[in-house]
Amino acid sequence: MKSSTYLTASLLIISMVLGAAYASERGARDGIFDLRVTGAQDRNASWEHILEVLQRRSGMTLSSSDFVLAEDRVLSTSRFRMYLQISRGLPIDGMSVRVWSEKAGDGLIQLEARLESEAFHLFTPLVLDADRLSAGLSWDETFGISRKIVRGDSDYVLQSGSDAGLGSPSFRDVWSAGNPIRVVRFRGLRGFHIIRISLLTHEVLSASYRPFRTLGAERGPIPVQVYPIYEEVEGRGVLLQRFPGELRYLHAAIKRPSADPFSMLRFRRYLESDEDPILGEFPAGQARGKWSMASVLRQVAAIQATLAESPNSFESGGVSLQGRFATVAIHPDAVEAYRLRLSSGLSWSSRFLPDWVSYSGTGSNEQLEMIPKAGLFGFPLRTQDAAWNRSARRLPGHDAAEYLKDGFDEVQVYWAITRFFESLIPMGFADPELSSRPFGAFLYNPDPAMRDNAFYVDDTIHFTTYSPGSINYARDNTTIWHELGHGLMERLMGTFLEVADTGGLSEGLADFLSDIVVQDVSGGVRFEGSDQFRISNRTGFHLTNEEHDDGEAYGGALKDLLNLAIAKYGRRGLWMVTDLVLETMRLCRNHPELTTAVWFDHLLFADSRGTHGLREPGAFGGMVQSALANRNFDLGRGKPAQFRLVYEGREVGAENLGSRERPVSRTLGKSSKFRFEVSVKNGAAYRFRFPVTVRVHFRAGPLQGPIRWDGEELNRPRDLIVNSERNRISFDVSTPGVCEETGTSVRQAKGCTDYVYLELWNAGESWKPQGKKRFYLRLR
């Protein structure tokens, strides 16, 4: 095999992301075979034995040549291996064998397999092997096809919110239902584009958009004053008190280059149209103007290795915030945006930032380019007293330049990231490398399109600037810990993981991991605003149609479980439930389609195994059942209750017209009217208390308000009363077609996106609603 082809195949395997329908039953189904075996059924975890079991149970003819080892990793409680099923040199999309075994010895803990029969490939010409299929669609053609969709397809532009970025590409060629396809993934400005292209016809089969998940030797600790939870209660205008804390694990020596160390990489332009993950790896391709992010990162690492270290101490000019668990840097564009001078105390760091910006060169055709930059260390801590007395002014307009000069936000973020590790490591997050790899943070991104935001991507939290009505997310630890929760999920559950349904599990787990740290920091004592967290709710499963609302059901169920555990075991219950959830995350690693049922089934399996010295086997089975009973979810698979929102004869589901993924489009400046129908139906176990109220909001939801709706000036919701399951209530919503705000990631220039928010309230309920639905509209 030629070296370039070998590299292609290697990159395809390494970068593969699983995605296929999960069958809960075991056995062949439409050519798909699913199997789950636990250590209670079979203790032999050798690969030879597993192959024999798979052949016997599936009836397929299998050998080691039908698989390739994609991952072999030691976790805190087990060894994890993942084998991808291949056919004629290409991986089969979503097909794999995942094995968890004991770290000492080879005893099986859990085996999960999803395999596809070769019968799916009988009608594909044998001559179409991996080399021929991959070579038949060049990268230039792939990029051109993808670009046409991302920037030219009106429906997709609507779905992605006009995110036209096409950076950091990766692709994998796989079999999918017997057809050879190329799955391409680009990083945009606010999310990821995923495009599936037929390798036979070169037609686009599907396109989807996934937003980023939104928010050496060491010196001794430095005493500081920080907010243990947050600066202010959102929506209440109540400022809280700071408490004593410490900046721990700071490196005694760090790299402080005298200039941007990555400026030497700016000898050329890194246009998105020239980024090629294959040709960009070789001198011949680079001579043609091609580049790859992998090649850039190798150059970054080489530059970092040449930089000399200097003392990070008060005596050497001050202490900068780089340590065992965190590096906090200032976005390099903030220096020019706020007219700051490097001589005033800011200094360059070795933290790399691939900054994607609009390219305005000749013939740019609205494309982006990546500019390699370094972050900057903020104003150093020059003395113990200066660190303790750093000002934490809360300015009415959130003046970023003044905040940057005060230097408090960096202190708060460093402390919060460190506290995240300090809370979770003793409670079970002790996985080699995963629990010690630091997170990074960039503050004060001045781009107005990113305002009022905090988001996580690639081991890094990004903070922006904030409008007067917003809170400062760099001082809100619950946001920081939520975003780090996404990072912990990525580390423990694997980059191959595919979450089913709305994706609410990701939001719910991030909320729960944040709440674990809140519980640890607060000692379980109530504080101002503690009753307003999103995780404290009554939201049921199957009663929402958007991932953050769906996440309330996941997070709320785990919160209910935690409350039951603390009521029974006291503060030890916090450690026990944290250990249980972390182990469940490991046991779901790289799952091809993680549904609600599969997640809680694995939670019960983790409970059945226990943890020596902490959890007895089966300690939480009854509590899990109790927590789910109030959430419209029955592990016995009883029929759930329903809350239906119908538009134009079709329910507004998570992927249907009117959802966040597919907003209805109307012309900016023209009046529009929409008719809906709502109804509710009891489930086998979950019952509503009639009459229920459906409350229609225009401004109460998160990031709600860019579109002007008729009647919103009354500043109160509309209540619809549903007296019984037989009632179907119709109502209208209208808009003059006016955007009241434009210019941020949600309120796009040249138009805006907004939603109508519906809450379902049981009779007599006054705390939190039981269900939530959204209807999205885009004016353009």
Side-chain angles (χ1 to χ4, degrees), residues 376-418:
L376 296 107
F377 288 125
F379 295 105
L381 305 171
R382 299 195 183 279
T383 66
Q384 292 270 15
D385 287 344
W388 177 262
N389 292 312
R390 280 216 163 173
S391 172
R393 295 181 294 167
R394 200 298 190 186
L395 301 176
H398 284 314
D399 188 320
E402 292 301 312
Y403 283 164
L404 202 159
K405 294 174 185 176
D406 290 343
F408 173 73
D409 288 0
E410 303 98 281
V411 169
Q412 183 70 44
V413 170
Y414 183 92
W415 182 87
I417 295 176
T418 302

Side-chain angles (χ1 to χ4, degrees), residues 107-149:
L108 181 70
I109 295 173
Q110 176 179 256
L111 159 68
E112 294 189 338
R114 165 165 291 184
L115 304 177
E116 182 176 285
S117 168
E118 276 289 318
F120 264 138
H121 305 272
L122 292 179
F123 302 103
T124 305
L126 289 174
V127 71
L128 293 178
D129 58 14
D131 291 351
R132 292 176 181 269
L133 287 167
S134 297
L137 181 60
S138 71
W139 176 250
D140 285 343
E141 291 176 293
T142 300
F143 182 84
I145 293 170
S146 303
R147 180 172 182 161
K148 186 175 181 180
I149 289 293

